[in-house]
Amino acid sequence: MMGLPPTMNALRKPYGKEGLELDQVAPTPNEVGPEDVLIKVLRASVCGTDLHIFKSDPSIRDRVAHNQIIGHEFCGEVMEVGEQVTILAKGDIVSSESHIVCGTCFQCTNGQPHLCQEISLIGVDRPGGLAQFVVVPAKNAIKIQGIPLEVASFMDAYGNAVDTAMTVGLAAKTVLITGCGPQGLMAIALAVALGAKQIIATEVSKMRIDMAWEILGKHLQDDSNHSKSSTRKDNILNPKDRNLISNIYELTGGLGVDVLLEMSGHPSAITDGIAALRSGGNAVILGLASDKIELEWNDLVFKGITVHFRYGRKLYETWTNGQMLLKSGLINLESLIHRPYYKLEEFDVAFQTLLKGEAAKVIFTPNTDYV
Ligand SMILES: [Zn+2]
Ligand SMILES: [Zn+2]
């Protein structure tokens, strides 16, 4: 292949060993097939799944082949296109959709490809983007224009938040967002952009509470001390406060919230969220539960709550909506990004920073000529 170095840096997962290894491997670990593109990775980010892989968590450990190149949040420049690829050209900037769908199963052929039964994941089931180069199907390389590279690197994760926030209408609604990790922070920005009249979020970590206020203030274009001066009644609450539910009812005039966006997967966040919902409200669940969840089943029935479970991103409606919101300036994700950026060699520091909860999104620059 023209212009490629003989080897590249890549982060690989040795089976059964904690952490990752930086290795020198061939730059095209999977061949550029007729429907594939070869991407030079300009920015890459890290999501919760990568942290589970890093820790050899039993939830994912056995799915990742020994010495797999990991990473599914990345963007880059198209270096080469397969002979049947017509939608992309050399030089295009693309972001990755991590779910490769089969196109032939019942769901794929009936308008629900995001629920494909033969799904394969970039950076889990095949080599990923925490490397200098990566090969993906062209249909998983989404052309990006007018979005900063660092944000373009985590469009896949942002897509989860966009899909969740757009499941039911948020305009003029009171919205409870449980958990202010990256998904919750993006949901706060989206709830403002989509017209929520009141946003209440829950979070334990002091750093994340500060980030939640920052992203809320930025999207409300309110530089003053928002909690004191605004006529809005937004708030970030600590879920460990035993008055949490009564505080939420008080903030919503005794009614409860119209919509729950559950972004954490924490069992108590889910039960608290349901308890705080008004009768006839909507619960939208993205978080994967870290444990078994006990629910007051009759509360769900008597309240007439509608529950929506979300997985992945709608192909490609979510990508279109997410890009429009960013390009219009309604969404600004800069405050999620940890600085400085990392070289692949610095992976251990970057992953530890995330594991300690000191950053929402870290950014890698795998090709140093593109820093
Ligand atoms: Zn992810
Ligand atoms: Zn399918």
Side-chain angles (χ1 to χ4, degrees), residues 101-109 113 115-119:
V101 300
C102 75
T104 54
C105 72
F106 181 89
Q107 281 72 14
C108 279
T109 51
L115 300 176
C116 173
Q117 298 301 291
E118 300 291 334
I119 208 159

Side-chain angles (χ1 to χ4, degrees), residues 41-44 130-132 150 341-346 363-371:
V41 182
L42 304 184
R43 299 283 185 273
L130 280 168
Q132 290 180 274
E150 28 287 319
Y341 301 159
Y342 295 99
K343 294 178 190 154
L344 286 179
E345 291 87 333
E346 299 166 304
I363 305 290
F364 282 99
T365 52
N367 284 286
T368 37
D369 54 335
Y370 266 92
V371 173

Side-chain angles (χ1 to χ4, degrees), residues 275-312:
L277 258 185
R278 72 163 169 82
S279 289
N282 281 279
V284 190
I285 315 280
L286 175 71
L288 287 168
S290 50
D291 210 342
K292 279 218 171 73
I293 292 176
E294 276 184 42
L295 287 172
E296 290 297 336
W297 197 253
N298 291 354
D299 278 1
L300 291 167
V301 178
F302 289 136
K303 279 183 160 182
I305 285 169
T306 307
V307 185
H308 312 255
F309 294 98
R310 304 306 307 165
Y311 180 68

Side-chain angles (χ1 to χ4, degrees), residues 159-324:
N160 290 122
V162 172
D163 175 64
T164 305
M166 296 186 84
T167 297
V168 298
L170 301 186
K173 303 292 187 203
T174 54
V175 180
L176 173 63
I177 295 164
T178 43
C180 296
Q183 289 297 337
L185 293 169
M186 291 190 278
I188 290 173
L190 286 157
V192 176
L194 297 168
K197 77 162 184 209
Q198 182 184 19
I199 295 161
I200 302 168
T202 60
E203 175 56 50
V204 182
S205 146
K206 170 80 174 75
M207 191 209 77
R208 286 177 166 180
I209 291 171
D210 290 346
M211 290 183 83
W213 278 118
E214 187 185 336
I215 204 156
L216 187 61
K218 182 168 279 179
H219 285 79
L220 290 167
Q221 295 178 320
D222 178 0
D223 292 330
S224 57
N225 187 337
H226 174 72
S227 57
K228 286 186 185 144
S229 68
S230 176
T231 52
R232 290 176 59 105
K233 285 190 175 173
D234 305 297
N235 215 330
I236 320 288
L237 304 175
N238 188 331
K240 290 201 167 152
D241 181 343
R242 61 188 178 84
N243 298 319
L244 175 72
I245 305 299
S246 58
N247 288 344
I248 293 173
Y249 275 88
E250 200 174 311
L251 282 165
T252 53
L255 189 65
V257 295
D258 296 309
V259 180
L260 163 68
L261 303 180
E262 205 304 292
M263 314 303 279
S264 74
H266 197 284
S268 68
I270 297 168
T271 50
D272 288 345
I274 300 283
L277 258 185
R278 72 163 169 82
S279 289
N282 281 279
V284 190
I285 315 280
L286 175 71
L288 287 168
S290 50
D291 210 342
K292 279 218 171 73
I293 292 176
E294 276 184 42
L295 287 172
E296 290 297 336
W297 197 253
N298 291 354
D299 278 1
L300 291 167
V301 178
F302 289 136
K303 279 183 160 182
I305 285 169
T306 307
V307 185
H308 312 255
F309 294 98
R310 304 306 307 165
Y311 180 68
R313 296 145 296 278
K314 282 194 191 150
L315 304 173
Y316 294 91
E317 184 186 330
T318 305
W319 279 87
T320 307
N321 290 334
Q323 286 196 67
M324 291 303 162

